[in-house]
Amino acid sequence: YIAAFACTGGLGCHEQRQKFEASGDIDKAILLEALADRLAEAFAELIHLKIRTTLWGYAPDEKLSLAELLKVKYQGIRPAPGYPSQPDHREKKTMWDLLDIDRLSEGTLKLTESYMMLPGASVSALVFAHPEAKYFSVGQVNMDQVQAYAERRGETGVEGTERWLGSTVLGYEKK
């Protein structure tokens, strides 16, 4: 099975942070953002847990400790755009469209032109349930791989792909 989801813990945080900053409560503003980030990550963990134990139910008796969860002892993986196994942030737009997030979130969860999620305290990811699925890093790619990827994306050149993959993924110097 393969799933995708997006969630947030940050609705209203931007406005409240501005109020805290305007009144000089910088510590509260920082704490609010940190708490919202943790809530978004916790919500993503809960969604993933529900997929494993209830919705798909391929691990109905899973009883992992926090240490085991942190060591990814569950079955499957939950990679996210922008991380080593999926370095191209543009893939968020594919997920966004597939899940119809703009409509379902009534516009409260958004993607910027640079594919940053708003509110900032948000998580999006894919879920792969296969028992042999393991996290991996794309590593460095060569020019022919970038060209093939760009072509699959329907692009006429590699410039955009090079930009979004970034210098750590490219196994060559950009021209």
Side-chain angles (χ1 to χ4, degrees), residues 103-166:
R103 183 182 64 80
L104 292 174
S105 73
E106 297 178 342
T108 59
L109 197 52
K110 301 174 186 165
L111 277 182
T112 67
E113 287 181 10
S114 61
Y115 303 102
M116 184 178 87
M117 293 181 286
L118 293 176
S122 300
V123 175
S124 65
L126 298 171
V127 177
F128 294 86
H130 196 281
E132 293 179 28
K134 302 289 181 216
Y135 285 101
F136 62 93
S137 176
V138 167
Q140 291 196 320
V141 294
N142 296 317
M143 174 63 90
D144 62 323
Q145 294 169 303
V146 172
Q147 288 171 333
Y149 178 54
E151 287 173 17
R152 287 193 305 276
R153 289 188 51 82
E155 299 170 4
T156 56
V158 296
E159 295 79 15
T161 299
E162 288 176 333
R163 174 177 177 248
W164 287 103
L165 290 179

Side-chain angles (χ1 to χ4, degrees), residues 45-64 69 74-75 127 129:
E45 287 291 345
L46 178 62
I47 291 168
H48 192 195
L49 173 71
K50 293 294 185 187
I51 288 170
R52 294 190 312 271
T53 60
T54 307
L55 297 173
W56 292 347
Y58 59 85
D61 300 321
E62 179 182 293
K63 302 272 189 275
L64 299 175
L69 283 172
Y74 47 79
Q75 177 181 319
V127 177

Side-chain angles (χ1 to χ4, degrees), residues 3 21 27 30 55 62 68 100-101 107-109 123 139 154:
E21 289 172 346
D27 291 347
I30 293 168
L55 297 173
E62 179 182 293
E68 290 170 318
D100 200 10
I101 291 172
T108 59
L109 197 52
V123 175

Side-chain angles (χ1 to χ4, degrees), residues 19-35:
K19 290 177 186 176
F20 284 146
E21 289 172 346
S23 65
D25 290 323
I26 303 304
D27 291 347
K28 287 181 181 178
I30 293 168
L31 186 58
L32 175 67
E33 291 288 338
L35 180 60

Side-chain angles (χ1 to χ4, degrees), residues 64-84:
L64 299 175
S65 68
L66 177 58
E68 290 170 318
L69 283 172
L70 293 173
K71 291 180 181 176
V72 192
K73 297 297 182 183
Y74 47 79
Q75 177 181 319
I77 59 173
R78 192 185 82 208
Y83 284 87

